[in-house]
Amino acid sequence: MSDNLAKDEKDFALIDRIIAGDQVACRILIDRHKSYAFTIAKRILINSQEAEEAAQDAFIKAIQSLRKFNRESKFSTWLYRIAFNTAVSYKRKQKIVPDSLDDYKLGQLGESGNAETLLDQERHAYLMQAMNNLLPDDVTMLTLFYLKEFSLEEIEQITGIAANTAKVKVYRARKRLAAELQKILKNEVKTLL
Amino acid sequence: MKHYNEEELFSYIDGTCDSQSALQLERHLVDCPHCNELYETLLSVDSQLQLLPKEKPSAHFTSAIMEKLYVDPRHSVPFSFTYYTRYFLIFGLVVSVISLFISLFSIGIVNDGVLQHIGLNTYLFENISNTIIAFFKTGSFINIMLGVSTLLLLVLLDKAVLNPFFNKRSQKIVW
């Protein structure tokens, strides 16, 4: 808890410096949050290139509106809400074909050697394929819930979905994910997973 | 036999159901192959989701944002003086106090063509009033007011006309 508070304080100090025109502080703030913002965008958009554009766009919007940020919530929650909304709006006008499972496998499996790693990566690839077939809301719920950085109340702030509804949505998203996996792998879900 | 649904099973997997319900469910799983199979599947999905990694953006991710923010004028961060307000106030206060002390302890004035240095107790108010009268009589006041007005006019011209005009122009440029 105190770690989180310290993190927030650091974010607020960086924000003050950015408003004063400090570019180094801006770089530090982006580096601190880029991975999570990109993950949210990637899970919604699937395509890496588009996810990167959406995440960058979200950062630009957030940094340009820093003075409007009221500091009542965590900076990360505010930023990820912007990232979520930006990714969803990109999704609506998405034209680029998502990265396919085959591309994923080729890219990810190429360098690994042992069978266990290959099986892990194959499991992950199938999981991602099943997630691709879910609705953006479901994917976001699972992403936010399983990355374990946020409580259901914070998920509510990011997505605008009430905490209780978010909880139910996570249940349903997992149920749909299991169904998708079963569809992809027929009866091999348990053996492969 | 009543079967458990996904929501109840996930609630058990997440550890959010109460201990009595958990105990009942565990007993049921031993006797019910249907629920046990569903539980195993959901548990597998859950353990895979637990391993979901954070994605890493490309190496030039931060640089690309920095470039858009600080090089491309369409995205530039608006500079704010509000952050510096407190420093300006402190600085202004210090300058005023120093000026006040200097003016109180030693004032050099030209009175009837003779430069006089006066201390606090030497005809202070009389000399100050002479100085003020001279200031207005010689036209210095009008010159200073003209200077301030010209400066304000330039600031207004910049803010109201030049700045919006060049911003609009720069947005049309393809980078």
Side-chain angles (χ1 to χ4, degrees), chain B residues 45-59:
Chain B
V45 171
D46 181 73
S47 41
Q48 270 305 297
L49 283 167
Q50 300 276 3
L51 300 174
L52 270 180
K54 264 191 203 171
E55 304 277 350
K56 276 189 183 170
S58 67

Side-chain angles (χ1 to χ4, degrees), chain A:
Chain A
M1 192 70 179
S2 60
D3 270 5
N4 282 339
L5 273 176
K7 263 187 189 177
D8 296 340
E9 288 302 316
K10 273 184 191 168
D11 280 348
F12 292 157
L14 288 170
I15 290 167
D16 283 339
R17 285 169 57 191
I18 295 168
I19 290 172
D22 185 341
Q23 295 188 21
V24 177
C26 186
R27 192 172 273 276
I28 297 168
L29 193 75
I30 296 167
D31 282 338
R32 281 166 74 98
H33 297 283
K34 67 180 178 186
S35 181
Y36 209 103
F38 177 66
T39 304
I40 291 174
K42 177 83 190 288
R43 294 283 151 72
I44 294 170
L45 293 163
I46 317 299
N47 179 279
S48 304
Q49 190 195 333
E50 222 178 1
E52 192 149 314
E53 275 174 33
Q56 285 177 0
D57 206 4
F59 268 108
I60 289 168
K61 281 182 202 164
I63 290 166
Q64 285 180 326
S65 317
L66 276 181
R67 273 176 290 154
K68 292 180 197 159
F69 171 53
N70 59 18
R71 304 188 191 203
E72 280 167 11
S73 61
K74 293 199 291 191
F75 170 72
S76 53
T77 312
W78 182 70
L79 171 71
Y80 301 149
R81 183 178 176 79
I82 295 173
F84 171 76
N85 288 334
T86 309
V88 169
S89 92
Y90 267 65
K91 182 83 180 173
R92 283 195 204 108
K93 43 190 175 183
Q94 193 171 45
K95 285 176 191 161
I96 300 172
V97 181
D99 298 342
S100 75
L101 179 66
D102 289 342
D103 290 345
Y104 179 85
K105 277 183 174 174
L106 283 171
Q108 303 288 314
L109 307 181
E111 292 169 14
S112 54
N114 64 58
E116 202 173 317
T117 318
L118 279 170
L119 187 63
D120 279 347
Q121 289 177 344
E122 202 167 349
R123 281 172 185 159
H124 182 63
Y126 281 117
L127 186 74
M128 296 316 286
Q129 193 188 24
M131 283 182 87
N132 290 356
N133 297 335
L134 297 179
L135 294 168
D137 261 11
D138 287 346
V139 178
T140 312
M141 282 297 151
L142 291 175
T143 303
L144 295 173
F145 188 76
Y146 275 98
L147 286 179
K148 297 200 181 304
E149 291 231 355
F150 297 105
S151 64
L152 284 168
E153 285 70 27
E154 284 166 336
I155 292 177
E156 178 179 340
Q157 284 181 35
I158 294 171
T159 59
I161 296 166
N164 280 336
T165 315
K167 194 177 170 184
V168 175
K169 273 185 174 278
V170 171
Y171 283 135
R172 289 184 185 158
R174 283 189 293 194
K175 191 178 153 183
R176 279 193 276 268
L177 183 67
E180 281 298 330
L181 277 168
Q182 273 174 325
K183 212 191 291 175
I184 294 166
L185 303 167
K186 303 287 184 282
N187 293 321
E188 297 166 29
V189 183
K190 272 184 289 176
T191 50
L192 190 73
L193 293 176

Side-chain angles (χ1 to χ4, degrees), chain B residues 9-112:
Chain B
L9 290 170
F10 271 130
S11 169
Y12 172 71
I13 292 167
D14 291 340
T16 52
C17 66
D18 60 75
S19 53
Q20 202 180 341
S21 309
L23 198 67
Q24 277 177 356
L25 193 143
E26 281 163 11
R27 282 187 193 140
H28 178 81
L29 288 180
V30 176
D31 299 329
C32 178
H34 173 267
C35 288
N36 194 44
E37 194 184 338
L38 182 61
Y39 167 72
E40 289 291 336
T41 307
L42 298 182
L43 188 65
S44 309
V45 171
D46 181 73
S47 41
Q48 270 305 297
L49 283 167
Q50 300 276 3
L51 300 174
L52 270 180
K54 264 191 203 171
E55 304 277 350
K56 276 189 183 170
S58 67
H60 63 269
F61 183 87
T62 307
S63 310
I65 298 173
M66 294 299 288
E67 204 171 311
K68 282 178 187 167
L69 278 172
Y70 293 100
V71 180
D72 184 345
R74 286 173 300 174
H75 297 289
S76 60
V77 180
F79 178 77
S80 164
F81 277 103
T82 50
Y83 179 77
Y84 287 117
T85 309
R86 54 191 155 169
Y87 298 114
F88 282 129
L89 280 175
I90 295 167
F91 179 72
L93 199 69
V94 170
V95 169
S96 350
V97 170
I98 292 171
S99 323
L100 190 70
F101 268 88
I102 292 171
S103 61
L104 280 177
F105 287 110
S106 168
I107 300 174
I109 54 166
V110 179
N111 195 15
D112 294 335

